[in-house]
Amino acid sequence: MRVTKLAAMKRARQPIACVTAYDHATARLVDEAQIPVILVGDTLGEVVLGMDSTIPVTLDDIIHHTKAVVRGARRPLIVADMPFMTYQTDMAEALRNASRLLQEGGAQAVKLEGGKAVADVIGRLTECGIPVMAHIGLQPQSVHNLGGYRARGRTADEARELLSDALAVQEAGAFAVVLELIPGAVAAAITDRLSIPTIGIGAGPGCDGQIQVISDILGLGPRQPRHSKQYASLNEEIAGALARYAAEVCGGEFPSADHTLTADQQAIDAIDGAD
Ligand code: KIV
């Protein structure tokens, strides 16, 4: 999957399904499901590493998990998130950090949060051959500044601000833009005015594509955001399986003969003879 194909999908009005993944096993399954885009998101911090927010996630964390995802998924476009403060301090630092995600992690693109404020970074990364997915609306890395995890774009001022951010990141060269937690009608209006694909999360069906956090749609872990839909109940599945496993070990049912290697008599005699 290439970024140019995503633009073609928008033109053909073919919806783009995207999902996060953080490890080899789930990346393989995402690839098998023919989902075209995987984001190694900094939600890694919350859903895999047990952190309270995405803010403590480091570049090395994302690189480590991107490597695992790349080993598991050959076909999807793999986008790696740039963590908090890895692209804001200065341009050289942003370029170095983004290039590590491609060179060491093996991603094909990076994602960063922000609109006009990061347009110059998007422009420079793009000039250097690094495809950038932008991310506007709710920006979880700015949770303290935005006054919590609240929707954006409900007022006329915020809606206008979102549109000008979307146009700015497009102008700067972003190949797609995530729209997080904004009203469906606002997301649809922005989508109509952009030539690059919009990828919604909590932004309604009017976007060109959708992205979800994999553990939210699989019912794994404590999160269940209102905008996500649960397609499996892995918490219950896994808890049930673990309880059955522990009960069988404690009850002497596992391992049975079926799960036990056999040896020829000589091997047994050798042990007996050693006594
Ligand atoms: O980090 C992440 O998983 C994201 C998605 C929620 C879009 O940014």
Side-chain angles (χ1 to χ4, degrees):
M1 177 53 64
R2 299 190 186 279
V3 297
T4 45
K5 175 84 194 292
L6 296 181
M9 288 172 81
K10 173 172 177 121
R11 286 193 299 274
R13 296 186 181 281
Q14 197 181 332
I16 305 164
C18 315
V19 72
T20 68
Y22 316 98
D23 61 46
H24 174 266
T26 45
R28 250 191 54 226
L29 295 170
V30 173
D31 188 344
E32 277 168 25
Q34 302 193 10
I35 291 178
V37 180
I38 292 181
L39 170 69
V40 185
D42 59 5
T43 41
L44 165 76
E46 292 165 295
V47 303
V48 176
L49 303 179
M51 296 166 174
D52 285 340
S53 75
T54 59
I55 291 173
V57 174
T58 66
L59 192 71
D60 286 334
D61 290 334
I62 297 283
I63 290 172
H64 178 74
H65 286 267
T66 302
K67 285 180 182 171
V69 166
V70 168
R71 286 192 286 264
R74 299 268 159 241
R75 289 170 293 188
L77 179 81
I78 296 172
V79 182
D81 232 346
M82 296 197 70
F84 181 61
M85 280 299 150
T86 59
Y87 51 97
Q88 294 96 333
T89 50
D90 71 70
M91 193 65 84
E93 182 75 359
L95 284 170
R96 237 186 331 269
N97 289 336
S99 65
R100 285 190 64 200
L101 293 171
L102 271 66
Q103 288 188 302
E104 294 174 43
Q108 286 110 33
V110 302
K111 178 172 83 59
L112 50 82
E113 293 182 9
K116 290 181 282 297
V118 291
D120 57 341
V121 182
I122 295 175
R124 191 72 191 106
L125 294 179
T126 310
E127 274 169 10
C128 293
I130 301 177
V132 181
M133 178 181 271
H135 181 156
I136 63 172
L138 170 64
Q139 296 163 38
Q141 290 175 10
S142 306
V143 56
H144 299 309
N145 212 19
L146 298 173
Y149 294 100
R150 67 171 190 84
R152 313 291 299 169
R154 281 196 163 129
T155 64
D157 281 349
E158 281 188 9
R160 265 193 294 272
E161 189 68 17
L162 280 174
L163 176 61
S164 74
D165 277 337
L167 292 169
V169 299
Q170 169 173 280
E171 178 72 16
F175 71 88
V177 56
V178 170
L179 305 180
E180 180 162 357
L181 210 57
I182 70 178
V186 173
I190 292 174
T191 299
D192 284 348
R193 284 163 180 76
L194 293 187
S195 55
I196 58 171
T198 58
I199 309 295
I201 173 163
C207 299
D208 297 304
Q210 299 293 327
I211 184 157
Q212 286 285 307
V213 171
I214 195 157
S215 48
D216 295 344
I217 58 172
L218 297 182
L220 179 65
R223 290 167 43 123
Q224 190 53 65
R226 213 185 118 223
H227 61 70
S228 81
K229 179 172 171 186
Q230 220 176 291
Y231 292 86
S233 303
L234 292 195
N235 280 337
E236 288 80 2
E237 274 282 313
I238 294 173
L242 291 173
R244 287 197 301 281
Y245 164 70
E248 289 195 8
V249 169
C250 296
E253 288 163 69
F254 179 83
S256 68
D258 287 349
H259 308 104
T260 307
L261 293 177
T262 54
D264 59 27
Q265 194 55 45
Q266 280 173 328
I268 298 160
D269 292 346
I271 301 276
D272 289 342
D275 288 339

